[in-house]
Amino acid sequence: MNEVLHETHLVVNGVPRTVSVPARRLLSDCLRHDLGLTGTHVGCEHGVCGACTVLVDGRPMRSCLLFAVGVEGAEITTVEGCRAAGGGLGPVQQAFQDCHGLQCGFCTPGFVTTITAWLAEHPDPTEEQARQAIGGNLCRCTGYQNIVASVLRAAELIREQEAAR
Amino acid sequence: MTTRTMGEPIPRREDPRLVAGDGRYLDDLGRGALAAAFVRSPHAAARVVDVDVSRALEVDGLVAIYTYEDLEGPMAEPLPLLIPHPRLHAGRTAYPLANGVVRHVGEPVAMVVARDRYLAEDACERIAVAYEPLAPVVGLDAAVAAERAVHDDVPDNVAAHMVQEHGDARAAVAAAPHRLELDLSIERSASMPLEGRGVYARWDAADRSLRVYSSTQTSTSVRFALAVKLGVPVDRVEVVAPDVGGGFGVKIVHPWPEEVLVPWAAIRLGREVKWAEDRREHFVASAHERGQRHHVSVGFDDDGRLLGLDVEFLHDNGAYTPYGIIVPIITATQLLGPYKPGAYRAEFRSLYTNTVIVTPYRGAGRPQAAFAMERTMDAIAAYLHRDRAEVRSANFIQPSEMPYDHHLTFQDGRPLVYDSGDYPATLDKIKKLVGWDEFEAFREEARAAGRRVGIGLACYVEGTGVGPYEGAHVRVETNGTVVVATGLTTQGQGHETAFAQVAAEALGVPVERVTVVTGDTRRFKYAVGTFASRAAVMSGNAVALAAGKVRAKALRIAAEALETDPDDLEVADGMVRVKGAPEREIALETVAVLANPLRYAFDEQTKLATQFVVGRGAEDPPVAEDDEPGLEATDWYSPVRSTFANGMHAVVVETDPETAEVRILRYCVVHDCGRLINPRIVEGQIHGGVAQGVGGALYERMVYDENGQLLNASFMDFLMPYASEVPKVETDHLETPSPLNPLGIKGAGEAGTIPGAAVLAAAISDAEGFFIDTMPISPSELWALREKEDG
Ligand code: FES
Ligand code: FES
């Protein structure tokens, strides 16, 4: 009962990677256990909590619902790839600290990736829109109020950065 | 000048790591370790007739399969009953792997270890277990009827029966001018942290030592439990709680079957073994809470003042009682809230059912208690046609009556004595915050627009910071950094920040210089754990005391060096200086060097402390008889009893006349948890607590069918609130410091959750005009109630 392995190519956070995985290997497990990028978390493995959200070619997707072999050739961005160019905190990450948008932090990577993608298309959201933007991710600790604030703060930080450019 | 950090809303020190994906949660560790998976019972009650592993043996990467037959010595005995109690006359606990009988769906029957989790699950699927199913006991009615028993030797299914009474409550109720009887129920929910349980074990055969990482709320106690179970000397066992993705109570239970089996297998195999729970396992094999049914008899006077209160309730404890009867004891005692009950009697029976075990979940028996008491207050007000706030106010314990003795025994075995609190002031604040007195005008306005709105109020008092103790170690390094270690664990409460604030203030150093380690038995061996809103109270004070000792030692050493009296010195910004003569100063790191007389130098700093540079008198030993080397100290905080935080919630809801959907328009919280270490962290705890209270009131429940199958064991069917379901929380607070501890702190962790069901039931009742006695409530249930009311 030996499993067939498939050579799979991904560009993860800008770096080309090659892994040999069985067809059933989830993208979440591939990122976490084959590539050692453990920032992507797994809270349910059935597509509901959003903790495992990564960007696949820029679009937020639940990596627990994807097979690694199914995204052959894709560009993947994980929470580790949402940092600033210099390696410091990216704007969304910084906003979470500024607004106390996390407690245990287990859900946070899924929020960071989701919000990063969303703000690219909604640079100046209202509070109501910000709440809707995070409506598909579960957090058991914060009650979301400070996550909503983090979305607004991140938008502000991004605007500031762009203005400084 | 002092360095002020206590009470400041500083950003959390742990965040940069966690937001960047650099946290280290259990399943982030042990890359390459073998994976464990479990074969679990699909039946709620059955005899295990045979376990056939033959088809599993051909799975590639299989390493081992274990069943009960493989266990020996203490491992073959039932798991410990953690909190024995004289009233728990028939406490029962599970075996690590089923010993011939299974008593709930999800109970582990066999463990598989394989090269990775996928393969371990393949093998699990190929293990054929033959069961002889038995008729299960599901729900309180079946447990009471006792036509069948969960445990053969407990034929009435009663694990515990307890009565606490002060005065003759039944006589007082009977003699009262007014009487009411109420039946009030709450259903099961669960902590449901986003990270499940997990264990990772490494056995060093050459060193004969074991290191275990566990996603636990108590690493110190897991360590002692493992030493006993595995027969390894406790000195050879280290337990570390890494970053933990939420706990909310469930992770205080220990040692779980998996928590002893994984290290046991690691020792037997001489390999690293890891198990990370999946979500279904968390639903069917960890713990739930809340399921209780209460009958209240109350007698009161014309003003609604309680004369007698007699509460009987049934508690569903699931299949086993590893955590004792803490939850129902808390309900029985905390039910009293901020009120003087007149004569009081509480009686409960804790009953076995063929369901997942019941252990504390945030609030731990208090949400049920607040529901029973606050619904009673509302019923009295309705009966007397009085304002609900007024009736509550008539029953308050007054600030002048503190400390207030209820003449009952609390969950820690100590007398139930409230230390402090100003309930009338809290009520004033919440009424103002929510606009209690202006609500009727709003109701009329809404009614005119065809809308249905209601307002609710609920109060609670919460015993926080239970003992027996916590400790802390504080050390100043020779580079000036301060390292704090405490044994209790962290699951998101920001202890790395809060305890750094406490140490920085007590020591007189900038907070940036302090690092904090929690939940690692390599760094601190004695602790109890993080639960019952106790961390800030217990470890907070222990850190302050230990830091105070270090400061005293620093002053003594600096006084010698500066040839002055310690009383003339102060510490600020990491410098020890002569008061009024700041040019005479010495850095704390230099004091740290002087505190440790050295033979060997290894950098410029330590050269200053070697034997030809410094030394006491020729006839004095380099370390004085009553002294120790190093600028460090350990101290302990052990209170005589709990402190009592309190608060009040008020909500405004709108119920849809057509769909019966409930919308929360306002959610207001006033709370008093004594002095605050970091207001922003406390605020966050309130927000998160409210979200869980709302979830428990409107969405979450465990749905068992008559066969004991949990029908909604996934996030698709167990409805935890998303951002769209949680209201914005408006808060205000009081700070009446606790007189019981040096920092004046009371706990805050559970406050947000406790009155959730009570306050929402009150507001929905107010909107609908009929009394709600069962929570949670869904739109279809509310709709059915309307139909019934309309006849
Ligand atoms: S782990 Fe993928 S959505 Fe929950
Ligand atoms: S911060 Fe813990 S789940 Fe969101």
Side-chain angles (χ1 to χ4, degrees), chain B residues 320-670:
Chain B
Y320 302 103
T321 52
Y323 211 72
I325 47 173
I326 288 299
V327 172
I329 292 178
I330 293 177
T331 301
T333 45
Q334 298 262 268
L335 198 135
L336 297 172
Y339 312 115
K340 290 179 277 192
Y344 178 61
R345 179 176 182 281
E347 172 176 11
F348 70 78
R349 281 182 178 72
S350 186
L351 294 149
Y352 286 113
T353 58
N354 289 111
T355 59
V356 174
I357 59 169
V358 167
T359 65
Y361 156 39
R362 198 179 203 168
R366 295 179 190 85
Q368 300 93 312
F371 182 66
M373 186 76 244
E374 295 301 303
R375 289 276 65 202
T376 301
M377 283 290 159
D378 288 338
I380 294 172
Y383 177 90
L384 295 173
H385 302 291
R386 294 224 174 208
D387 178 65
R388 289 171 279 165
E390 204 178 285
V391 167
R392 285 172 167 82
S393 173
N395 285 288
F396 280 159
I397 297 163
Q398 298 301 313
S400 58
E401 295 173 283
M402 295 289 176
Y404 187 85
D405 189 349
H406 276 293
H407 302 284
L408 300 170
T409 305
F410 193 42
Q411 64 141 321
D412 52 1
R414 306 259 161 171
L416 182 69
V417 179
Y418 292 178
D419 57 329
S420 57
D422 187 341
Y423 309 139
T426 313
L427 182 66
D428 278 349
K429 274 189 184 263
I430 193 80
K431 281 174 70 178
K432 271 203 201 90
L433 185 61
V434 75
W436 183 263
D437 292 329
E438 295 80 48
F439 185 75
E440 284 315 313
F442 175 65
R443 191 201 303 276
E444 284 315 311
E445 224 173 85
R447 196 186 325 239
R451 297 169 60 198
R452 237 183 248 194
V453 296
I455 192 168
L457 170 70
C459 313
Y460 69 91
V461 168
E462 181 197 2
T464 66
V466 294
Y469 69 85
E470 286 298 335
H473 181 257
V474 174
R475 184 176 66 247
V476 180
E477 305 276 14
T478 53
N479 63 5
T481 58
V482 177
V483 183
V484 175
T486 183
L488 66 60
T489 56
T490 304
Q491 311 86 43
Q493 299 89 341
H495 294 153
E496 284 175 46
T497 307
F499 296 153
Q501 288 178 262
V502 172
E505 173 129 335
L507 210 48
V509 300
V511 69
E512 298 75 38
R513 279 211 209 162
V514 187
T515 60
V516 175
V517 178
T518 61
D520 184 340
T521 68
R522 295 171 298 182
R523 304 293 299 282
F524 203 87
K525 291 193 175 6
Y526 290 92
V528 183
T530 297
F531 58 93
S533 306
R534 70 191 292 282
V537 182
M538 303 301 298
S539 279
N541 279 291
V543 169
L545 292 168
K549 269 193 177 175
V550 171
R551 185 174 183 278
K553 182 167 183 178
L555 293 183
R556 181 161 53 73
I557 295 167
E560 267 179 48
L562 296 170
E563 296 176 340
T564 178
D565 192 272
D567 288 344
D568 296 334
L569 295 175
E570 62 178 10
V571 192
D573 284 334
M575 302 299 287
V576 188
R577 43 175 98 115
V578 179
K579 288 179 200 160
E583 68 289 351
R584 288 179 62 203
E585 63 176 15
I586 176 169
L588 216 45
E589 51 260 48
T590 312
V591 180
V593 171
L594 297 176
N596 182 20
L598 292 174
R599 186 171 177 86
Y600 310 116
F602 38 85
D603 63 11
E604 288 305 314
Q605 273 283 37
T606 44
K607 271 186 198 163
L608 300 173
T610 48
Q611 55 200 343
F612 297 107
V613 182
V614 290
R616 305 173 76 230
E619 293 311 311
D620 299 325
V623 177
E625 245 175 53
D626 56 351
D627 207 356
E628 294 172 359
L631 187 49
E632 61 182 23
T634 299
D635 209 346
W636 308 89
Y637 175 65
S638 180
V640 285
R641 56 180 175 266
S642 299
T643 69
F644 287 83
N646 72 282
M648 300 182 191
H649 291 198
V651 302
V652 177
V653 300
E654 173 163 7
T655 57
D656 190 298
E658 309 252 304
T659 64
E661 198 188 335
V662 178
R663 216 152 59 86
I664 300 172
L665 304 181
R666 309 259 322 269
Y667 200 115
C668 300
V669 175
V670 175

